[in-house]
Amino acid sequence: MLINVAETVVADALRGMAAAHPELTVDVENRVIVRRDAPFAGKVGLVSGGGSGHEPLHGGFVGRGMLAAACPGEVFTSPVPDQMVRAAAAVDSGAGVLFVVKNYTGDVLNFDMAVELAEDEGVQIAKVLVDDDVAVTDSLYTAGRRGTGATLFVEKIAGAAAEEGAPLERVEAIARRVNASSRSFGVALSACTTPAKGGPTFDLPPGELELGVGIHGEPGRERRAMMTSREIADFAVDAVLEDLEPTSPVLLLVNGMGATPLLELYGFNAEVHRVLAERRVPVARTLVGNYVTSLDMAGCSVTLCQADEELLRLWDAPVNTPALRWGC
Amino acid sequence: MLINVAETVVADALRGMAAAHPELTVDVENRVIVRRDAPFAGKVGLVSGGGSGHEPLHGGFVGRGMLAAACPGEVFTSPVPDQMVRAAAAVDSGAGVLFVVKNYTGDVLNFDMAVELAEDEGVQIAKVLVDDDVAVTDSLYTAGRRGTGATLFVEKIAGAAAEEGAPLERVEAIARRVNASSRSFGVALSACTTPAKGGPTFDLPPGELELGVGIHGEPGRERRAMMTSREIADFAVDAVLEDLEPTSPVLLLVNGMGATPLLELYGFNAEVHRVLAERRVPVARTLVGNYVTSLDMAGCSVTLCQADEELLRLWDAPVNTPALRWGC
């Protein structure tokens, strides 16, 4: 691993973000990343956060048209309520704050506590839970479905609504609609290595894969001998479509888990498009890359979001963050 | 690996690029990626190419303000002259074409042949060789220094000059100035896996690293027991500064080789900034991410480019490609 010691990995990364991105205010000590130009009069601020190790999620999505602030926890560990309260206070213009929370037990508990604390300080808070992963219900870190790739869709689309000046209840409703319209399925071709452990987080022998893996390496639906890109695309897309029957063109995220080369990810995207065409699901927009990662895990996930005209318009709206940028 | 069979990896990836990027024309059979809106009357077209496995280089840099076309070869294998000639013909508006060539023996030979063939067809061609890697002179695939991270600076900055309508000799001179002002040094923490071989390309035991590695896993200067991020930054930056004494602020690329998590790469960026501050080298701009990769190799490289006011202005100019995008 390219680190100093496990204990300083998150603080080191935040110092590095501060050095690379003068457009962000990075509070290394309190672990809050904020748009330098926040708050904006009359505009809702989006705040998200979660364990580190999934970069660019969430810190790389702070900027115009997406998050106003992000709170990184330790690796694969929820941030604490104090971080979220600080972030909310930093970005609230009086129009309120939307918390975007991936559905993991620790995150849910801590964000719930932060809602109370921030409201005590006079900030109006709404909250949306992301739970798009169809692989399993109730797993190692979760009651209900896990939150994964759809987080990017929720943060981008609700962020665009906030940027346009939509009021809090409207931004919240859009975020909920995106989550309800989105489903994901992930596959691991290798385990990931956490700095604290220094070795693989779980045992996945070479030549096998884990279908339905979570973004912390949580077990999925089944383990099999290695499959082709074509077979994995069939399995992943069909798993998503069992749970979502799109009646309008979809947004497609073909996401890498961290260590899968972009060359392979684009090849996988070709197979995902092939299956979707066979299942008569038209694709409105495609995003391919490493966006919701699990450190150095090899593998990929597929997220579909059924996008009506409004969601599509908000997806296309300008965004200017370290990891997602267009139209600005 | 997330592939079908080794033989179709490049074609599969090109089909996936075509599906994701309607703004590009992807000729899968002839392996040429072209801006859909090329050629532009009166503007020089930049064409680059090289072996696949370094994505997003070069195909991910095709678009406004950067490359007009790219030619991907097989994995770690030069493209053939026919690809470059097709690309040149597709993007030439009469103002000529600049070939950007990384200094590897196969690429140099094939681009040289393409220059002759394209000129026979009436296209005016200039060529710039990128050779920024200070680690070794003369290595497995190269006579002289290898071309690595500076390729991104050359393609971005010369691409901006071409976009502004600078004539061919001026675009070529700027590209040469960027290369002459840039130096790189890379480090491998693991070997990479090529689809054809299906296993590591070289033997790097866990707990060791290769200082001065090339982007195909070519041997570097020395192998050592694992070092900290801090120690690696000291070694890499000092290796670059032995060969480049910047008299103006630098552009900094902190590049991941493919499998190093962004969390670790940002932490490494903090250490690179620390060394540069200690050596009194001011940093004008920083880019952190996986841009010039070696499939699933873990590791990183540091590239510095001494940027005068003109180069800095061209760096900041709008760019709109799959992998690099700002100001558009």
Side-chain angles (χ1 to χ4, degrees), chain B residues 253-319:
Chain B
L253 170 62
V254 170
N255 176 62
M257 292 293 196
T260 287
L262 208 48
L263 182 72
E264 298 178 16
L265 214 50
Y266 271 111
F268 181 65
N269 179 52
E271 296 297 342
V272 170
H273 271 262
R274 175 195 50 77
V275 196
L276 288 170
E278 289 171 8
R279 305 291 182 268
R280 302 189 187 289
V281 177
V283 179
R285 302 287 184 275
T286 304
L287 184 66
V288 178
N290 291 284
Y291 291 104
V292 181
T293 63
S294 303
L295 293 167
D296 61 344
M297 186 188 284
C300 57
S301 62
V302 174
T303 304
L304 300 184
C305 172
Q306 168 177 316
D308 56 35
E309 275 184 32
E310 182 181 37
L311 300 191
L312 191 58
R313 182 183 64 75
L314 291 167
W315 174 256
D316 286 339
V319 61

Side-chain angles (χ1 to χ4, degrees), chain B residues 8 30 39 43 63 69 75 80 107 109 115 117 119 146 152 184 246 266 270 279 299-300:
Chain B
T8 65
N30 294 301
K43 290 191 184 178
V75 172
V80 295
D107 295 75
L109 285 173
V115 171
L117 294 169
E119 284 179 343
R146 303 175 297 213
L152 183 151
S184 296
Y266 271 111
R279 305 291 182 268
C300 57

Side-chain angles (χ1 to χ4, degrees), chain B residues 53-137:
Chain B
H54 307 300
E55 290 67 28
L57 185 80
H58 301 268
F61 297 146
V62 175
R64 179 177 164 202
M66 213 160 166
L67 296 179
C71 314
E74 282 298 312
V75 172
F76 293 174
T77 304
S78 171
V80 295
D82 182 54
Q83 290 170 266
M84 303 148 191
V85 175
R86 275 179 195 273
V91 306
D92 181 39
S93 67
V97 168
L98 178 69
F99 283 164
V100 179
V101 186
K102 301 198 298 303
N103 189 30
Y104 297 97
T105 309
D107 295 75
V108 172
L109 285 173
N110 284 319
F111 269 102
D112 278 349
M113 198 174 302
V115 171
E116 284 185 36
L117 294 169
E119 284 179 343
D120 285 350
E121 292 188 10
V123 181
Q124 197 190 349
I125 306 275
K127 199 191 72 175
V128 61
L129 208 62
V130 183
D131 62 346
D132 54 309
D133 186 347
V134 301
V136 292
T137 49

Side-chain angles (χ1 to χ4, degrees), chain B residues 238-261:
Chain B
D238 283 340
V240 166
L241 292 178
E242 261 172 43
D243 217 77
L244 181 79
E245 293 180 27
T247 53
S248 59
V250 296
L251 306 177
L252 165 64
L253 170 62
V254 170
N255 176 62
M257 292 293 196
T260 287

Side-chain angles (χ1 to χ4, degrees), chain A residues 75-221:
Chain A
V75 171
F76 293 175
T77 304
S78 171
V80 296
D82 182 53
Q83 291 170 265
M84 303 147 190
V85 175
R86 275 179 194 272
V91 307
D92 181 40
S93 68
V97 168
L98 178 69
F99 283 164
V100 179
V101 186
K102 300 197 300 302
N103 189 31
Y104 297 96
T105 310
D107 295 75
V108 171
L109 285 172
N110 284 318
F111 269 103
D112 279 349
M113 199 173 303
V115 171
E116 284 185 35
L117 294 169
E119 285 179 343
D120 285 349
E121 292 189 9
V123 181
Q124 196 189 349
I125 306 275
K127 199 192 70 175
V128 60
L129 207 62
V130 183
D131 63 346
D132 54 309
D133 185 348
V134 300
V136 293
T137 49
D138 303 339
S139 74
L140 208 50
Y141 302 98
T142 330
R145 288 195 310 223
R146 304 175 296 212
T148 61
T151 316
L152 183 152
F153 288 141
V154 171
E155 294 179 359
K156 169 65 185 81
I157 293 173
E163 193 70 48
E164 288 184 358
L168 184 57
E169 57 271 32
R170 178 98 192 104
V171 176
E172 179 190 359
I174 286 171
R176 285 185 196 283
R177 199 158 97 236
V178 174
N179 180 59
S181 309
S182 299
R183 300 289 189 282
S184 296
F185 190 86
V187 177
L189 275 62
S190 79
C192 54
T193 310
T194 58
K197 187 156 183 201
T201 47
F202 64 104
D203 182 46
L204 183 58
E208 295 189 18
L209 49 73
E210 180 79 37
L211 292 164
V213 75
I215 55 172
H216 312 89
E218 306 96 313
R221 286 191 185 176

Side-chain angles (χ1 to χ4, degrees), chain A residues 4 16 21 229 266 269 271, chain B residues 3-4 16 21 264 266 269 271:
Chain A
N4 288 317
H21 302 292
S229 171
Y266 270 112
N269 179 53
E271 297 297 342
Chain B
I3 65 171
N4 287 318
H21 301 293
E264 298 178 16
Y266 271 111
N269 179 52
E271 296 297 342

Side-chain angles (χ1 to χ4, degrees), chain A residues 1-5 9-10 12-21 52-53 55-56 75 189 193 195 226-232 258-271 273-274 286-288 290-291 295-296 299-300 320 322-323 325-328, chain B residues 1-5 9-10 12-21 52-53 55-56 75 189 193 195 226-232 258-271 273-274 286-288 290-291 295-296 299-300 320 322-323 325-328:
Chain A
M1 284 174 292
L2 183 61
I3 65 171
N4 288 317
V5 292
V9 162
V10 174
D12 289 348
L14 289 174
R15 290 190 297 122
M17 281 205 77
H21 302 292
S52 292
E55 290 68 26
V75 171
L189 275 62
T193 310
M226 192 56 63
M227 295 158 67
T228 63
S229 171
R230 182 182 183 91
E231 291 165 341
I232 294 171
T260 288
L262 209 47
L263 182 73
E264 298 178 16
L265 215 51
Y266 270 112
F268 181 64
N269 179 53
E271 297 297 342
H273 271 262
R274 174 196 51 78
T286 304
L287 184 67
V288 179
N290 291 283
Y291 291 105
L295 292 168
D296 61 344
C300 56
N320 192 1
R325 199 178 292 180
W326 56 70
C328 291
Chain B
M1 283 174 295
L2 183 61
I3 65 171
N4 287 318
V5 291
V9 162
V10 174
D12 289 348
L14 288 174
R15 289 190 295 122
M17 281 205 76
H21 301 293
S52 291
E55 290 67 28
V75 172
L189 276 62
T193 310
M226 191 56 64
M227 295 156 68
T228 63
S229 171
R230 181 183 185 90
E231 291 165 342
I232 295 172
T260 287
L262 208 48
L263 182 72
E264 298 178 16
L265 214 50
Y266 271 111
F268 181 65
N269 179 52
E271 296 297 342
H273 271 262
R274 175 195 50 77
T286 304
L287 184 66
V288 178
N290 291 284
Y291 291 104
L295 293 167
D296 61 344
C300 57
N320 192 359
R325 198 177 294 180
W326 55 70
C328 291

